[in-house]
Amino acid sequence: MHLAAARRLPRLLPLAIAVALLGAGLVLAGNPAAAQAPQSKVTINGTAANKWEPANAAVRTGGTVTFRITGGVTHPVVSGDGSKPEGDDRFDASDCGLQQMSKVGDSCQVKFPEDGNYPYFCQVHVTQGMKGVITVGTSAGGATTTTGGEAGSVVEPPSAAAPPSSGRPAIYWAGWGLFALGALLALVLIALYVRFWPGFSRPKS
Ligand SMILES: [Cu+2]
């Protein structure tokens, strides 16, 4: 290796470290364990656009969902996916009927003691698509703790085809890839630097 090239090596080191740090950050961001667990209290707004905002929400087991009207009255809440006008009785929406949810500022609360997916809709605006799903459970999206394939992903650069069976988001695996790439680059740079930098040259005996 030419000396000129060797001189440039140290300048690449921060880049390699930055890549590794970025990867580590992505791993943390994408790790389901570090991802925010569902809240015990969630508020869903019934808006002037006749939409639930957010329509889909996650709440912890035993948590409470508050439906609040911010516009476009009226928004009575009914349990069900909207296929039947009368809904189903999967959760108790008796406090969220026409009487209670008739003007801006009105709100009602529903407690969800059991895990599951609970579709709901607005009795008045269901035909406009005013419906959503409340997911109840302690873990967000039912992520698994499978660790298979982790070792293999450390060496590979990020790939769009993240292991689909892992239950972890692609960003997590991309993070591992970036981290490995950066760390590898840093190691190679340090090795080259030590090997070729004149100040580090070993005394020849
Ligand atoms: Cu409505």
Side-chain angles (χ1 to χ4, degrees):
M1 178 176 288
H2 296 292
L3 191 62
R7 276 181 201 281
R8 246 179 270 129
L9 290 176
R11 291 186 209 156
L12 289 175
L13 196 58
L15 178 72
I17 290 171
V19 168
L21 284 180
L22 180 68
L26 287 181
V27 167
L28 287 181
N31 191 347
Q36 206 157 35
Q39 310 271 310
S40 58
K41 284 181 171 33
V42 170
T43 297
I44 296 174
N45 292 323
T47 69
N50 296 334
K51 295 273 182 254
W52 297 112
E53 192 59 50
N56 301 328
V59 66
R60 204 176 296 177
T61 312
T64 303
V65 173
T66 300
F67 296 93
R68 186 175 60 186
I69 296 187
T70 61
V73 288
T74 64
H75 302 309
V77 180
V78 181
S79 170
D81 60 8
S83 57
K84 289 184 297 184
E86 71 274 22
D88 57 36
D89 56 357
R90 295 202 48 222
F91 68 84
D92 181 14
S94 57
D95 286 342
C96 300
L98 205 52
Q99 299 295 321
Q100 296 88 349
M101 299 292 280
S102 61
K103 60 183 190 297
V104 172
D106 280 356
S107 68
C108 67
Q109 293 191 330
V110 176
K111 215 170 154 87
F112 290 89
E114 284 177 42
D115 289 7
N117 292 324
Y118 297 89
Y120 67 97
F121 62 93
C122 167
Q123 194 178 8
V124 177
H125 302 111
V126 62
T127 54
Q128 298 176 33
M130 190 169 183
K131 47 191 179 181
V133 177
I134 294 158
T135 303
V136 181
T138 42
S139 65
T144 63
T145 51
T146 317
T147 51
E150 191 167 323
S153 297
V154 170
V155 196
E156 294 296 318
S159 105
S165 60
S166 66
R168 293 173 192 271
I171 192 173
Y172 176 84
W173 299 108
W176 267 117
L178 268 185
F179 177 70
L181 200 68
L184 202 69
L185 208 59
L187 280 178
V188 168
L189 284 173
I190 290 170
L192 286 174
Y193 181 67
V194 169
R195 172 72 181 77
F196 289 105
W197 191 248
F200 275 103
S201 55
R202 295 182 196 140
K204 293 183 174 84
S205 55

